[in-house]
Amino acid sequence: MNDQLDKFDLCVIGAGPGGFAGAMRAIDAGRQVCLIEGDEIGGTGVKWGALASKTMWELAKDYAVASKTDRGYRCTGLSVDYAAVRDTVIEAVKEKQYQLLSQIETFARGHWPGPGSITYLRGWARFGDPARITVDLAAGGEQEVRADRFLLCTGSKPRHFDHITVDQQRIFDSDGILQLKHFPKRLMIIGAGVTGCEYATIFSNFGQTRVFLVDHQERVIPYEDEDVSDFVSANLERHGVKIFHSTRLRDILAKPEHLEVVLDFDDGHATVVEVDAVLISIGRIPNIEPLNLTAAGVTPDKAGYLDTDPDGRVTGHIYAAGDVTHRPALVNMAIMESRHAVKHMFDLPTQPLTFPNMSTVMFFYPAVAAVGLNEKACRRKKMPYRVATYANALLPRAIAMRATSGFVKIIVSDNDSQKILGMRAAGPQVSSTIMSIALLIDQDKNAMEVLGAMFPHPTMSEVIQECLRLLAGKSIYKPEAFPELLKIRRWRPETGFIL
């Protein structure tokens, strides 16, 4: 690149979902953008993370449904091949990667006639000074790039144990699980957070693998309320997953034909489990070491994250978004953060980012969705609340789908207004229904205002309507008739639960 072309309005380092979204927002503003990616376009969010794992989840869910024998039909000769599953996942990944590349080429500098453009470099960037980086090009050689502003979106990588070698042959992390050649007969997953539980769901749904799930906590998904955690555990165990609670990994001993996993329990005893593969899923850490941030005048905190202000600014003209910051490592959060950062750095109109009401979906079987406060958070904040739980078993749409496992739980303030504070939902289509409550919370709505709307029938969204009616004492089905399916209670800091 010659001197005329090596200066940009913005240099985005990392072309995952956040970096790509930020680059496109800058193009909207008519800016000249350099987008740099050392690995594959789309980053972890496409190649190893959300898209790949959710493709596997969809395939596993379909296989589990096809295997059912309680629907009036039976599939005979049903089989599954991991290599074919992997090929399907990779096909989905490549489909999204080529969409990203196609848009980059459309707006490429020298091709796109508009005021904004993008220059895409494949390589690894490191700062030489606060306004200049050097890119070690994947094709060989180096390229110097200067920019007025920088957006760091380099994402994260799986956290490992210091004493365990992840060889991606028999001991895997989430970035390497697709390197499996076939379904292992026995798989142990270390870590019962969202990712660990999702992969436990995937492999158990395919029915080819005996799955063990290990975590040092007393419950899976420990930050959620007990009813949500218990629901997830019960469904995993119903599909054959063996869960070890209050347990820590001591060692993995490699044998020629298997692995021996040594586990220590909180009560002092130990056990050894023979498996064929291990998946380490104990969180992720920021991927910023290669950036040489010292040369840019940036110092990560002790945990390796970048501190940003509410607009994503790290210092001066350097911004950051996504997994390198302290906020949860979620694709939708990275996209929102990066777009907001770009708008701020170019003085475009912005609104403050609000994260407390961000909805999330956990792809278990059934799936679980969450938005706003849970009961634990309300009690921690000493906020009086009312909570109602409405089981899907009473919902016509769920009955018709033969998928009655699950529920909706809505939390409102314990006063006359009954302001909606949060919702937890488990079952079919929760990824769609959760967003309606997220919008209602953002609009500061209360339960009675929502009940003026007419919900379509028969749909899964009706469970929201009935749950709110339950809170108002006006539900069609009554807890006196269905005490195991309909529940309502109150909590106040001075008295605790009030029945």
Side-chain angles (χ1 to χ4, degrees):
M1 185 179 295
N2 60 43
D3 290 341
Q4 184 181 1
L5 297 179
D6 70 351
K7 179 69 180 295
F8 296 89
D9 298 311
L10 171 64
C11 177
V12 181
I13 305 176
F20 183 85
M24 292 306 137
R25 194 68 186 89
I27 288 177
D28 293 340
R31 306 295 173 159
Q32 303 297 317
V33 182
C34 182
L35 178 62
I36 302 169
E37 173 58 51
D39 198 350
E40 296 191 39
I41 188 75
T44 298
V46 172
K47 179 65 175 178
W48 309 116
L51 180 59
S53 64
K54 275 52 181 183
T55 304
M56 287 189 71
W57 180 85
E58 289 287 354
L59 298 172
K61 175 179 65 69
D62 290 348
Y63 186 88
V65 172
S67 301
K68 286 180 175 293
T69 59
D70 61 347
R71 302 189 171 204
Y73 57 81
R74 182 190 297 269
C75 295
T76 59
L78 191 65
S79 64
V80 60
D81 175 62
Y82 187 81
V85 170
R86 183 184 60 213
D87 289 346
T88 302
V89 173
I90 292 174
E91 180 183 357
V93 167
K94 286 186 176 295
E95 183 176 328
K96 175 50 66 178
Q97 287 179 327
Y98 279 106
Q99 290 173 355
L100 300 176
L101 289 170
S102 295
Q103 181 150 305
I104 287 173
E105 292 300 330
T106 299
F107 291 93
R109 195 170 194 173
H111 172 79
W112 179 248
S117 71
I118 190 165
T119 297
Y120 178 57
L121 296 180
R122 179 78 184 276
W124 291 263
R126 66 182 187 277
F127 279 94
D129 59 48
R132 176 179 56 87
I133 62 169
T134 298
V135 182
D136 294 318
L137 299 171
E142 296 181 347
Q143 177 64 56
E144 185 174 289
V145 173
R146 292 178 294 162
D148 294 328
R149 299 167 184 84
F150 292 87
L151 177 60
L152 309 182
C153 297
T154 49
S156 61
K157 58 186 177 182
R159 185 187 302 275
H160 292 168
F161 292 103
D162 292 337
H163 65 296
I164 301 294
T165 299
V166 175
D167 59 11
Q168 311 292 23
Q169 298 298 315
R170 291 194 293 178
I171 302 176
F172 302 87
D173 58 28
S174 58
D175 283 4
I177 194 66
L178 285 178
Q179 295 188 40
L180 272 169
K181 306 302 181 187
H182 51 75
F183 284 108
K185 291 182 179 179
R186 300 158 299 183
L187 171 67
M188 180 168 286
I189 300 174
I190 308 297
V194 173
T195 300
C197 289
E198 284 184 352
Y199 275 107
T201 299
I202 288 167
F203 281 95
S204 63
N205 277 358
F206 278 121
Q208 312 298 306
T209 302
R210 176 78 166 108
V211 179
F212 303 92
L213 182 61
V214 177
D215 197 76
H216 66 279
Q217 300 276 7
E218 295 180 356
R219 296 175 178 271
V220 303
I221 320 297
Y223 50 84
E224 279 295 347
D225 292 332
E226 285 79 3
D227 53 358
V228 173
S229 178
D230 291 345
F231 178 82
V232 175
S233 292
N235 279 286
L236 287 171
E237 291 173 338
R238 189 175 298 116
H239 288 88
V241 177
K242 170 66 176 177
I243 303 177
F244 295 98
H245 296 290
S246 303
T247 309
R248 297 178 185 274
L249 172 68
R250 183 197 301 180
D251 205 356
I252 302 175
L253 307 175
K255 304 297 180 179
E257 301 298 329
H258 63 271
L259 300 171
E260 293 179 356
V261 183
V262 185
L263 302 175
D264 291 322
F265 292 77
D266 284 357
D267 62 8
H269 83 281
T271 192
V272 180
V273 182
E274 181 180 304
V275 298
D276 303 291
V278 174
L279 171 61
I280 306 293
S281 179
I282 56 172
R284 301 182 69 86
I285 57 177
N287 189 27
I288 58 176
E289 293 89 344
L291 292 176
N292 191 29
L293 291 174
T294 302
V298 173
T299 302
D301 66 13
K302 292 181 179 180
Y305 292 92
L306 298 178
D307 286 319
T308 67
D309 68 13
D311 296 310
R313 190 199 301 264
V314 178
T315 179
H317 62 292
I318 298 176
Y319 291 70
D323 296 7
V324 297
T325 71
H326 282 277
R327 296 189 178 104
L330 300 169
V331 167
N332 50 345
M333 182 165 285
I335 290 173
M336 292 293 288
E337 285 182 328
S338 63
R339 289 173 59 85
H340 180 87
V342 169
K343 288 189 290 184
H344 182 266
M345 68 177 67
F346 292 122
D347 297 320
L348 301 175
T350 62
Q351 293 181 339
L353 291 177
T354 56
F355 295 112
N357 298 332
M358 184 184 66
S359 54
T360 60
V361 181
M362 294 164 270
F363 287 82
F364 310 141
Y365 186 56
V368 174
V371 67
L373 299 177
N374 59 18
E375 292 189 67
K376 283 184 177 180
C378 288
R379 293 196 294 268
R380 187 170 61 249
K381 295 174 179 287
K382 300 187 182 304
M383 296 175 58
Y385 68 89
R386 300 181 191 182
V387 57
T389 303
Y390 198 100
N392 289 344
L394 288 173
L395 194 67
R397 178 61 174 166
I399 294 171
M401 295 172 69
R402 312 310 298 141
T404 55
S405 176
F407 60 89
V408 159
K409 179 172 77 169
I410 298 178
I411 302 170
V412 300
S413 59
D414 187 26
N415 51 28
D416 291 340
S417 70
Q418 293 198 22
K419 176 183 173 183
I420 300 173
L421 302 176
M423 178 172 119
R424 298 300 183 268
Q429 302 176 17
V430 293
S431 59
S432 299
T433 55
I434 196 71
M435 195 57 207
S436 61
I437 289 293
L439 289 171
L440 293 171
I441 294 175
D442 283 340
Q443 295 169 3
D444 206 30
K445 296 294 185 181
N446 62 54
M448 297 308 297
E449 289 177 301
V450 180
L451 287 177
M454 181 177 293
F455 287 66
H457 175 82
T459 64
M460 293 301 298
S461 65
E462 287 178 286
V463 72
I464 295 174
Q465 182 181 43
E466 282 305 301
C467 194
L468 291 173
R469 285 174 174 167
L470 185 62
L471 283 164
K474 302 176 181 179
S475 59
I476 296 174
Y477 293 95
K478 308 298 183 184
E480 293 82 1
F482 300 98
E484 296 302 313
L485 301 179
L486 303 176
K487 302 179 188 300
I488 185 167
R489 57 182 182 169
R490 300 168 60 198
W491 182 89
R492 302 191 69 83
E494 63 272 15
T495 60
F497 285 106
I498 304 170
L499 299 178

